[in-house]
Structures are given as structure tokens and as C-alpha cells.
Amino acid sequence: MKAAVLHQFGEVPHYEDFPDPVAGEGEILIHVKAVALENVDKAVAAGTHFSSRKMMPNLPAIVSFDGIGTLDDGRLVGFGGIRPPYGSMADVAVIPKAYFVAVPDGVDAPTAATVPASALTGLFPLKWGAKMQQGDTVLINGATGFAGKLAVQIAKLLGAGRIVGSGRDQAALQAIRELGADEIIDLKQSDEKISVAYAQAAGENGYHIILDFLWGHPTELLLEALTPHEFAFAKHAIKLIQVGEMAGKTINLPAEALRTSGIEIVGGAAGLTPEAMGEGAQQVWEWLGAGKLHADIECVLLKDIEAAWGRTVHGKRLVIVP
């Protein structure tokens, strides 16, 4: 069969022949239809991810470890649990019998491969971490990325009163307006203008929830903008949920930013339970089946994996297909 094969950590996987997998006891074969090309795949292949040696104990091996495919009876499923040296970027994958879930009718393979995980990145913290209420004002800090665009749509579906989105790409900022954002903040401005924009966009009632995909300097400017410069009581709590670090891994956090601002900073997994995971996944599948979530997806043929591997894209996902 054909596959994306890695020979050495740090190299680019090559499109070449690889021995067909043989299903052992308790295993089944999956005919692969779509695999999202994620940053974690690149990190594992580079040897820089903590799981690199566990996921690929011996080389050569096929890259990526989950995806969408069909069973022998034609059912479309999501799968994982692949046995090394096999991976998902191949014509066929081998998995344990229990490691697949059915893809609902009406959802195609590329969408199923990319949207659910990124959608849950926004849904979990909004619904369970922040316990979002109807009418809340929500700031998506870093709304022009793939997950950020989905978060804008999810906030709208959950009943947000106002949605503010920030980002650096002008075309993408205009696109999130069409997806449901009421106001946008251009992060390519000067620091002073960004701080003013954050403060003004909060409106009279202020933000209730901030879903932060950026961290780093933009978040420092945001916290500065929301810090009172005279004694005042906070109108309500502002839940800042940290989910990404596209602009930096660390921030400078002055003590005064927390004393009277009402800001509470929590991680993206706050409030998450096994029950919430199941309910959230079901909700995303329902939205997808109803055509309520939209994403920018580009399909790339498996034979072009070498060129696709080195590409940097923003606001959309590359999906590897047969």
C-alpha cells in the first residue's frame, strides 16, 4: 500500500510503498478516507514531542495516529489506537476493534477529520468552564484561527448577546463578522490602539467570558485594558479561559490586574467531566449534521504529503486524502 513514511526523526515523511497491515486477534482494518494534518503530527515526527518515541518506537513508520475511514461494510467511522509502525496517513490502517465511532449521516470525511476536535476546544470552556449564559458578552481572543472561527460560531449557537473577535488578518477578521462576530479588533495596530480597542469593545456591561487562543503580549494588553485605574468594584466576574498560546507561552501578570478587575483565569479543561465530553461530542455532531458549523478545509492528496508537510496555513486545515 501507499503511505506517508518517516525514516528519521526530524525529516519529512515520504510517499512510498509500505507493507500492508495484517489484522491480528481483536483488530480490524480501516480503509482511510481523511486525516487532518495537525501540528502535533509534525512535532511527533520531529522527535520534539514527549510522545515521539512511544508513538514511533521504531522507524521507518507511518505518520499520524487517527482519522476517518470506512469499515469493510462501508460505514464511515472515526478511528484511533493504531499499532506502530502503522499510522493513519496510508491507504489502510489497523486498529483495535473497539477504537472507532460512527460518523453521523450527512457529515463528510474531511469535515469529520478536522472540525469536531477544534470545535470542542471552544465548546467545552464556553459551556462547562465558563458556564456561559444567554446574553453574555464573549471575547474570542485570536478568533481568526481555525478553532477561533469555530468558537465564534459556537458562542452564537449558545446564545451569546455580543461576540467580539480579535486577530491580525484583515480578510479573516471580516470573515468572522459573517460567522457571527458583532465587533472585531485588529491586533496589527499599535499597543496603545489595541488597548483602547479592547476596552471600548467591552461596552458598558463589559466582557463576561474571554476565550483566549493567544496568550503572550496581546493578552498582556487585554489585561491592562481591563484593569481599573481607580478604586471601583467589578460589575461581575470575567472568566478568562486560557486555551492557546499562538502569541507566546508566558505573560507578565501584574497583581493589580486581578485585585479589582473581576478577572478569573482558568485553563481550558476547567469544569470538564467524562459526561461533559460525551455530551459535547454529541452536540458538535448534531450541529455538523444540521449544517450549523462551517470551516475552511483544503484537501491534499496523500501523494503530495511532502509538499503539504512544510506548508504553514492560518485559519484553515489541511486534510490528507487518498
Side-chain angles (χ1 to χ4, degrees):
M1 68 174 180
K2 293 296 187 180
V5 182
L6 185 74
H7 288 268
Q8 296 290 334
F9 286 119
E11 293 184 354
V12 172
H14 299 287
Y15 177 71
E16 59 188 56
D17 291 312
F18 200 83
D20 289 352
V22 177
E25 185 177 354
E27 294 181 327
I28 57 173
L29 297 179
I30 298 286
H31 306 279
V32 182
K33 298 302 179 184
V35 179
L37 177 53
E38 304 277 8
N39 288 333
V40 66
D41 298 317
K42 297 181 180 182
V44 170
T48 58
H49 195 271
F50 68 89
S51 69
S52 292
R53 269 67 183 178
K54 181 178 180 180
M55 303 298 285
M56 291 183 163
N58 298 295
L59 297 176
I62 300 171
V63 298
S64 198
F65 311 100
D66 55 25
I68 304 296
T70 55
L71 304 175
D72 286 338
D73 62 10
R75 282 183 293 163
L76 191 66
V77 299
F79 66 89
I82 292 176
R83 162 169 50 89
Y86 295 99
S88 56
M89 287 190 186
D91 292 331
V92 181
V94 58
I95 65 167
K97 284 183 177 179
Y99 279 63
F100 71 86
V101 295
V103 173
D105 293 340
V107 182
D108 61 37
T111 299
T114 54
V115 174
S118 293
L120 290 172
T121 300
L123 177 59
F124 284 147
L126 286 173
K127 185 170 183 178
W128 284 277
K131 295 180 170 54
M132 183 182 147
Q133 302 297 309
Q134 291 277 329
D136 279 354
T137 295
V138 179
L139 166 63
I140 311 295
N141 203 29
T144 55
F146 188 78
K149 288 179 179 178
L150 288 168
V152 169
Q153 298 171 71
I154 290 168
K156 195 75 172 180
L157 289 167
L158 292 176
R162 286 181 67 245
I163 301 171
V164 180
S166 70
R168 294 176 57 83
D169 184 273
Q170 277 297 322
L173 282 170
Q174 294 305 316
I176 65 172
R177 280 192 184 276
E178 299 175 8
L179 294 173
D182 299 287
E183 194 163 349
I184 57 176
I185 297 174
D186 182 1
L187 298 180
K188 280 190 174 180
Q189 305 176 86
S190 67
D191 285 1
E192 181 180 355
K193 289 183 178 180
I194 292 171
S195 293
V196 170
Y198 275 135
Q200 290 180 342
E204 290 186 6
N205 295 324
Y207 302 114
H208 295 89
I209 301 170
I210 299 167
L211 194 59
D212 186 52
F213 289 94
L214 298 178
W215 212 236
H217 190 55
T219 301
E220 292 176 341
L221 295 174
L222 170 61
L223 292 170
E224 178 185 342
L226 299 182
T227 301
H229 296 293
E230 58 184 28
F231 182 78
F233 292 105
K235 295 180 180 178
H236 52 72
I238 304 171
K239 189 83 75 172
L240 191 158
I241 307 177
Q242 205 290 312
V243 292
E245 51 186 52
M246 294 300 294
K249 294 180 179 294
T250 62
I251 64 169
N252 177 38
L253 179 61
E256 66 176 357
L258 301 180
R259 279 198 295 264
T260 58
S261 65
I263 294 173
E264 302 171 358
I265 301 177
V266 298
L272 194 56
T273 65
E275 292 76 19
M277 292 179 67
E279 183 181 338
Q282 182 62 36
Q283 179 65 82
V284 169
W285 285 123
E286 289 177 5
W287 282 334
L288 283 172
K292 294 183 177 180
L293 290 177
H294 306 279
D296 189 0
I297 299 169
E298 180 182 343
C299 292
V300 178
L301 295 175
L302 178 62
K303 69 181 182 65
D304 296 323
I305 185 62
E306 295 175 38
W309 196 263
R311 287 181 57 188
T312 299
V313 296
H314 184 70
K316 68 178 179 179
R317 282 286 188 273
L318 299 183
V319 182
I320 308 302
V321 298

